[in-house]
Amino acid sequence: ACSVRAQPAIVPDAPVMNLEELGVYAVGYAYSGQPERQFPLGWSGSDDTSGATYQPYGEQNSRRAVLMHCPWRGGTGITFQQLAFSLPTQATRILLRGATALRTAVITNSDGVTFRVYTNGVKALEYHQTNDVWRDFELDLTALRGSNLLVRFEVHPGPRNDTSYDHALWSSRELVLEGYTPVAVVHPAPPPLT
C-alpha cells in the first residue's frame, strides 16, 4: 500500500452510471489514528499486510455485490472505496443510490459493520448494520450539479471495534442523472483492410 494519490474524475457517459462497472476508483485503508494508505487505482483483492479487502462477491438475495472488509491484521480501522465524478450542469436531479448488507454466512459471528458514505469529505450517511437484509439508501446530490464530486464508501468495525467476520456487502450502487443526455461519442470507421 502507498500514500493517497490523485484520481481522475469520471465524466458521465450515461444518465445512470452503475458504480460496480466502473474501473476508475481508489481503494485504501487506515488503521485507527494513522494516515490513510491507498492501493493502485482500480485495485481489488485482499491485502496480505492489513487484511483490508475490496473484491467482487457474487450474488446474495438476488443482488450482485462487492465485499469490503476493514483491516484486522496489525490493528483495526477503516477500508474505503472512492470515485471522482465531474457532475453535469444539465442534470435536473442527481441521486446516489445503493444498498448494504452483511454476508449471510457470517451474521451469527459478526457484531455488525458501520457503513458510511461521504460526499466531498462530508459524511452524508452512517449506520450500523447487523443483518443480511439489503438496506437501500438514496442521497440527493442535486446541489452539487456542475461541480466535482468525490464519493467515498467506507466500512468500520463498529462501536466495539471487533472486526471478526465483518464481511460488508455493497450492492446496486448507481449515480442517477435525471434530465441528462450525454454528448454522443462518434468513432470514425476504421480504414479498410488491404
Side-chain angles (χ1 to χ4, degrees):
C2 46
S3 62
V4 175
R5 60 175 66 80
Q7 68 185 97
I10 296 166
V11 176
D13 61 0
V16 178
M17 301 289 291
N18 179 340
L19 304 193
E20 318 310 346
E21 294 176 353
L22 301 177
V24 182
Y25 60 82
V27 170
Y29 70 94
Y31 292 120
S32 298
Q34 293 187 30
E36 292 181 356
R37 297 172 185 206
Q38 190 174 304
F39 301 107
L41 292 179
W43 179 90
S44 71
S46 187
D47 179 47
D48 291 339
T49 304
S50 65
T53 302
Y54 177 82
Q55 62 192 24
Y57 172 72
E59 282 194 9
Q60 176 167 295
N61 299 334
S62 303
R63 287 194 185 186
R64 279 182 51 218
V66 292
L67 183 144
M68 202 183 279
H69 198 296
C70 36
W72 54 275
R73 290 188 184 115
T76 62
I78 57 156
T79 294
F80 64 86
Q81 179 206 27
Q82 59 190 27
L83 300 105
F85 293 95
S86 178
L87 297 177
T89 52
Q90 304 89 339
T92 53
R93 193 160 175 241
I94 301 175
L95 302 171
L96 179 68
R97 294 184 180 138
T100 60
L102 292 191
R103 190 173 150 226
T104 300
V106 300
I107 54 170
T108 54
N109 301 101
S110 174
D111 67 346
V113 172
T114 299
F115 290 87
R116 298 178 182 136
V117 178
Y118 292 84
T119 55
N120 292 343
V122 177
K123 191 188 300 176
L125 187 73
E126 179 180 44
Y127 54 78
H128 190 72
Q129 187 166 353
T130 57
N131 61 39
D132 63 347
V133 178
W134 286 113
R135 178 173 175 168
D136 295 307
F137 63 84
E138 181 177 279
L139 301 172
D140 190 329
L141 305 179
T142 308
L144 297 175
R145 99 179 126 215
S147 65
N148 286 334
L149 165 67
L150 184 67
V151 62
R152 175 178 174 127
F153 301 94
E154 186 179 285
V155 294
H156 181 274
R160 292 183 18 208
N161 231 19
D162 182 351
T163 59
S164 304
Y165 301 94
D166 283 357
H167 298 192
L169 300 180
W170 298 89
S171 180
S172 313
R173 294 180 299 165
E174 57 187 22
L175 182 67
V176 180
L177 305 160
E178 294 180 4
Y180 173 59
T181 306
V183 175
V185 178
V186 179
H187 298 285
L193 295 174
T194 53

